[in-house]
Amino acid sequence: MWLTAVNWSLCFFFGSASVHVEQPAQRSAELEELVIVIQSQRNSYHVQRSYQRKEEILQEAANLGQGVPVVLLLHELSDYEGNWSILPALPLLSAIYGESASWFLFIEEETTAILRVLLKVLKRYPVQEEWFLGQRLHDNKPSIVHHYAFSEDPTSFGYPDPAAGWALSAPLYQRLAERIQYENLKSDFTIDLTHEIALFIWEDGRGPKLTSVPEFCTETRDNCATTFTTYLPNCGDPVSKTDIFVAVKTCEKFHSVRRHCGKTFAILRHFLSEAMPKVDWLLIVDDDTLISLPRLRRLLRCYDPKEAVSLGERYGYGLMQNGYSYATGGGGMVLSRMAVSSLVSSGCSCYSDDAPDDMILGRCFTSIGVPITHSPLFHQAQPDDYLGTRINPQHSISFHKHWNIDPVAVYRNWFQDSHLRDEL
């Protein structure tokens, strides 16, 4: 029997023969085979920041002279708002770039990619294999944010810090892009993006775990492939206290209006009424929301109140089935006057007074084309429900729920100093 199409050679050891198959050489990544996805948002401030980040990356590539990567702004990939959750975008990303890309790198608007170091890092991982790379985080205790996953040993499961960026090799993202088209997610809700992506990739142990890469950084130090600045930018003087109207939803014990959605839409109409002063921003919170107004005032300076802005901690519902996003109510929902006016005039309303108001608002804003703008400074849960490295005592705006905690102590630990400094 003759063997063809394979290059065979004979190696002799101690008089016996064995067959040796020459393996193809492992190919390393090149800059032009890298697709950098900036997880941009449609709001004008975030569009500007993401374009600045793109220009910085392309300028560094030009200085290196080793090719030019594809730099993609995620909000420009398609009109579908749910692409922010990444998994719905994978089939389209694969269809456009699958033949030419060896790696996809996902970064946030404030993440810097140092290309010369990044190339060296990626060359350590053969592009023919499935790789999921990032700065590894793990829960120290079971967390409601992660649906108490891995409750017996929370440290056993790793997920990437989004601020440091994370990468997928070609074989992995191509397989994921195919799989996502026929496999349903375990939950209709998208809450903590990178944790849920890591769970989908891990596939109950059948897929790869996250490989921790020390050069994926969130602070500036030697030999970093990525670094991160801040989620609380300095855009100038904080907005005035008189530019924010604060509405606190409460319960029947303290107020005659009982229903969540009914309360919220009553607030929206009252905000626009002649009885109210005409201010730029509406903040809607629960009566168990803790919030730093000085930090919120600083953050709001970055946004144009003449634009329709819905700002908060963004969740998603049914995003794999053309669903919608919403700002979680407990962490605080911030709406510009233009956003409130657009929503009220659209005629969108509660299907019942006791419907979940934050989800109804999200669905309404989606129907009229107002994007939900995400800030990780808002938190739907308590501080202990988040990994310590994910939340910063200097850069958190809100927390929610008073169960089994001393809310005054939480306020003092997380917000009081900032109030004193900012009021001086």
Side-chain angles (χ1 to χ4, degrees):
M1 179 177 179
W2 293 93
L3 298 176
T4 60
V6 179
N7 183 17
W8 292 86
S9 62
L10 294 180
C11 300
F12 293 91
F13 299 94
F14 303 104
S16 63
S18 64
V19 179
H20 169 71
V21 181
E22 292 184 357
Q23 299 292 336
Q26 289 185 341
R27 187 171 60 82
S28 59
E30 302 296 337
L31 198 54
E32 61 269 18
E33 297 173 351
L34 173 64
V35 176
I36 300 176
V37 180
I38 300 176
Q39 294 170 249
S40 55
Q41 305 190 65
R42 295 185 190 278
N43 173 270
S44 62
Y45 166 73
H46 291 281
V47 169
Q48 178 189 22
R49 289 298 298 130
S50 59
Y51 270 111
Q52 290 174 346
R53 183 65 62 206
K54 178 177 179 177
E55 290 302 314
E56 292 169 3
I57 294 171
L58 293 177
Q59 184 59 55
E60 185 190 355
N63 295 338
L64 283 177
Q66 299 181 30
V68 179
V70 173
V71 183
L72 171 69
L73 305 187
L74 187 58
H75 79 277
E76 295 182 337
L77 180 64
S78 76
D79 292 333
Y80 181 48
E81 191 65 30
N83 283 339
W84 67 266
S85 62
I86 305 300
L87 292 179
L90 285 181
L92 184 54
L93 286 170
S94 180
I96 298 173
Y97 303 106
E99 296 298 322
S100 57
S102 295
W103 290 94
F104 276 91
L105 174 69
F106 296 86
I107 62 173
E108 302 205 341
E109 294 163 6
E110 300 301 328
T111 305
T112 299
I114 299 94
L115 297 181
R116 57 180 179 79
V117 181
L118 182 62
L119 272 179
K120 293 179 182 178
V121 169
L122 295 180
K123 289 179 185 295
R124 297 204 302 258
Y125 305 95
V127 296
Q128 298 91 342
E129 301 175 14
E130 292 192 354
W131 293 104
F132 177 29
L133 310 178
Q135 181 185 114
R136 188 182 189 274
L137 302 177
H138 64 262
D139 293 343
N140 295 318
K141 67 173 188 176
S143 170
I144 189 175
V145 177
H146 298 150
H147 306 291
Y148 300 105
F150 305 94
S151 57
E152 294 184 357
D153 183 10
T155 65
S156 64
F157 184 75
Y159 54 98
D161 188 333
W166 49 281
L168 304 175
S169 64
L172 179 56
Y173 76 69
Q174 288 170 353
R175 184 170 65 81
L176 294 176
E178 295 175 1
R179 184 176 149 218
I180 200 67
Q181 296 181 74
Y182 64 81
E183 183 174 327
N184 294 326
L185 299 182
K186 293 184 177 180
S187 173
D188 289 329
F189 289 89
T190 301
I191 295 177
D192 189 346
L193 180 60
T194 58
H195 188 273
E196 290 159 25
I197 288 174
L199 277 175
F200 186 77
I201 292 173
W202 180 62
E203 199 178 357
D204 293 323
R206 296 185 294 275
K209 285 188 174 183
L210 177 72
T211 297
S212 184
V213 177
E215 292 88 352
F216 282 22
C217 310
T218 51
E219 71 288 336
T220 302
R221 54 181 172 78
D222 292 340
N223 204 34
C224 282
T226 61
T227 59
F228 181 75
T229 52
T230 179
Y231 286 121
L232 185 58
N234 185 357
C235 297
D237 294 336
V239 302
S240 171
K241 296 177 185 178
T242 59
D243 285 335
I244 305 175
F245 179 79
V246 181
V248 181
K249 293 181 300 176
T250 187
C251 62
E252 184 180 9
K253 178 179 178 180
F254 305 112
H255 200 281
S256 60
V257 180
R258 293 190 301 122
R259 306 299 188 181
H260 278 291
C261 196
K263 289 184 219 178
T264 297
F265 273 79
I267 289 170
L268 298 179
R269 291 188 292 269
H270 186 62
F271 178 74
L272 296 176
S273 71
E274 295 295 331
M276 288 296 301
K278 192 173 181 179
V279 300
D280 290 336
W281 300 101
L282 171 63
L283 167 64
I284 304 176
V285 295
D286 290 350
D287 55 10
D288 59 348
T289 301
L290 295 171
I291 194 157
S292 169
L293 288 177
R295 292 175 188 166
L296 176 61
R297 290 167 50 209
R298 175 179 166 183
L299 179 65
L300 288 180
R301 178 56 66 193
C302 299
Y303 297 96
D304 182 359
K306 297 181 177 61
E307 184 177 352
V309 179
S310 174
L311 174 67
E313 183 180 24
R314 180 179 55 194
Y315 283 8
Y317 178 76
L319 295 182
M320 292 306 304
Q321 294 81 36
N322 202 34
Y324 58 91
S325 306
Y326 60 98
T328 58
M333 300 180 287
V334 185
L335 306 176
S336 67
R337 175 167 289 273
M338 177 61 73
V340 177
S341 178
S342 298
L343 188 144
V344 171
S345 63
S346 73
C348 197
S349 61
C350 308
Y351 58 81
S352 68
D353 278 345
D354 59 355
D357 58 334
D358 49 6
M359 297 181 72
I360 296 296
L361 287 181
R363 192 175 67 178
C364 289
F365 281 130
T366 298
S367 69
I368 62 175
V370 174
I372 305 300
T373 301
H374 174 66
S375 171
L377 304 176
F378 296 80
H379 301 98
Q380 172 71 6
Q382 301 172 350
D384 286 349
D385 289 318
Y386 299 90
L387 183 66
T389 57
R390 295 287 297 277
I391 55 174
N392 188 320
Q394 304 303 318
H395 293 164
S396 292
I397 284 179
S398 71
F399 293 104
H400 179 227
K401 298 175 184 174
H402 293 172
W403 301 335
N404 301 319
I405 64 167
D406 179 355
V408 175
V410 172
Y411 173 84
R412 288 172 177 165
N413 291 337
W414 289 86
F415 299 138
Q416 188 172 39
D417 289 346
S418 73
H419 280 67
L420 293 175
R421 282 197 307 273
D422 291 340
E423 295 302 324
L424 294 176

